[in-house]
Amino acid sequence: MHEDSSWGFKVKVPSGWEKIPLKVNERWIIGKYMCDRSYVGEEGWNHKPDMKIVVFPEEVKKKKGSYEAKKTEENADTEGFEIKFKYKSYPDYLKGNFAGGGWFFSLEEEGEVAGIKVTRYEAKVEKLVNQKRRIIAWVYHLPDADIAVSFEVLEVRYRKLKGLVYGALKSFRLAERTGPSPMQKTAATL
């Protein structure tokens, strides 16, 4: 289970999937996992499915460019510190971050999971690639942020992994928050 007490949610991680350390410059990504096995595609290439959890804070979505912390009495030690959230939505994130070939959205629909509004996306990666892939992402709309949970799998293995992927996506729940909102953290803790 991936539980994030700062943003107030939890989601099931497929059994055996390994947690991947985050890069310092990936502040919008709050969780990464990789499958414990690789799958061979039609073209003979190996691919390990992955799961990413990406945050889009409401404060960032309202502003142009990246979010910059301002000095106040509550966060006096953050003066001049820039919080680099580059993207305002999941489509924006995919456009700016996915360099794995030509892709297009094959599905975009609204729904609900456990009383939480969710936007469901599926993207097919078919052009300029060695292997066709599918990206399945559900964006959960919380009061102060959108949380996207996405999976990337080989198109030829989609049917085999579909139950695992959708089981994890349907497991998303709100959790108790501890401490201040992540947007109120100081430079030292970010």
Side-chain angles (χ1 to χ4, degrees):
M1 187 68 81
H2 176 96
E3 190 161 353
D4 191 310
S5 59
S6 295
W7 290 105
F9 74 92
K10 58 185 175 180
V11 65
K12 181 182 176 198
V13 176
S15 180
W17 285 39
E18 181 181 330
K19 188 172 186 171
I20 305 299
L22 300 174
K23 296 177 185 173
V24 174
N25 64 346
E26 294 179 323
R27 295 194 192 279
W28 59 94
I29 298 175
I30 55 177
K32 269 200 219 178
Y33 297 87
M34 186 161 290
C35 186
D36 55 346
R37 64 172 285 203
S38 61
Y39 293 87
V40 179
E42 291 176 328
E43 297 81 7
W45 296 82
N46 285 330
H47 179 264
K48 283 190 170 191
D50 68 11
M51 173 183 174
K52 289 186 184 121
I53 305 167
V54 186
V55 64
F56 307 99
E58 281 298 318
E59 287 185 40
V60 174
K61 289 168 42 178
K62 294 175 187 172
K63 296 183 182 284
K64 288 191 173 193
S66 58
Y67 180 85
E68 187 176 330
K70 300 288 184 196
K71 183 177 180 178
T72 65
E73 289 196 25
E74 292 83 21
N75 68 351
D77 55 338
T78 66
E79 182 177 23
F81 182 78
E82 187 177 354
I83 303 171
K84 295 183 179 181
F85 287 96
K86 294 182 180 181
Y87 309 108
K88 296 177 189 249
S89 68
Y90 186 75
D92 184 34
Y93 165 78
L94 205 54
K95 287 175 192 168
N97 196 54
F98 188 76
W103 59 271
F104 63 94
F105 283 121
S106 59
L107 174 74
E108 182 176 347
E109 67 182 15
E110 301 297 319
E112 197 172 290
V113 171
I116 304 165
K117 290 185 180 188
V118 63
T119 304
R120 298 177 184 111
Y121 295 100
E122 281 192 21
K124 291 189 176 187
V125 184
E126 297 182 341
K127 295 181 181 178
L128 306 171
V129 294
N130 293 329
Q131 303 184 100
K132 293 180 181 178
R133 297 185 303 278
R134 188 179 300 207
I135 300 168
I136 303 99
W138 287 15
V139 180
Y140 305 89
H141 305 288
L142 305 184
D144 60 346
D146 287 346
I147 306 291
V149 179
S150 70
F151 287 84
E152 183 180 337
V153 300
L154 288 176
E155 185 64 37
V156 296
R157 300 292 179 231
Y158 172 70
R159 282 189 175 171
K160 180 176 182 147
L161 297 169
K162 185 177 178 179
L164 178 114
V165 168
Y166 285 101
L169 293 169
K170 290 176 184 176
S171 74
F172 191 95
R173 298 290 185 269
L174 295 177
E176 185 177 341
R177 285 187 172 199
T178 57
S181 162
M183 295 305 291
Q184 297 173 348
K185 288 184 177 179
T186 64
T189 60
L190 283 172

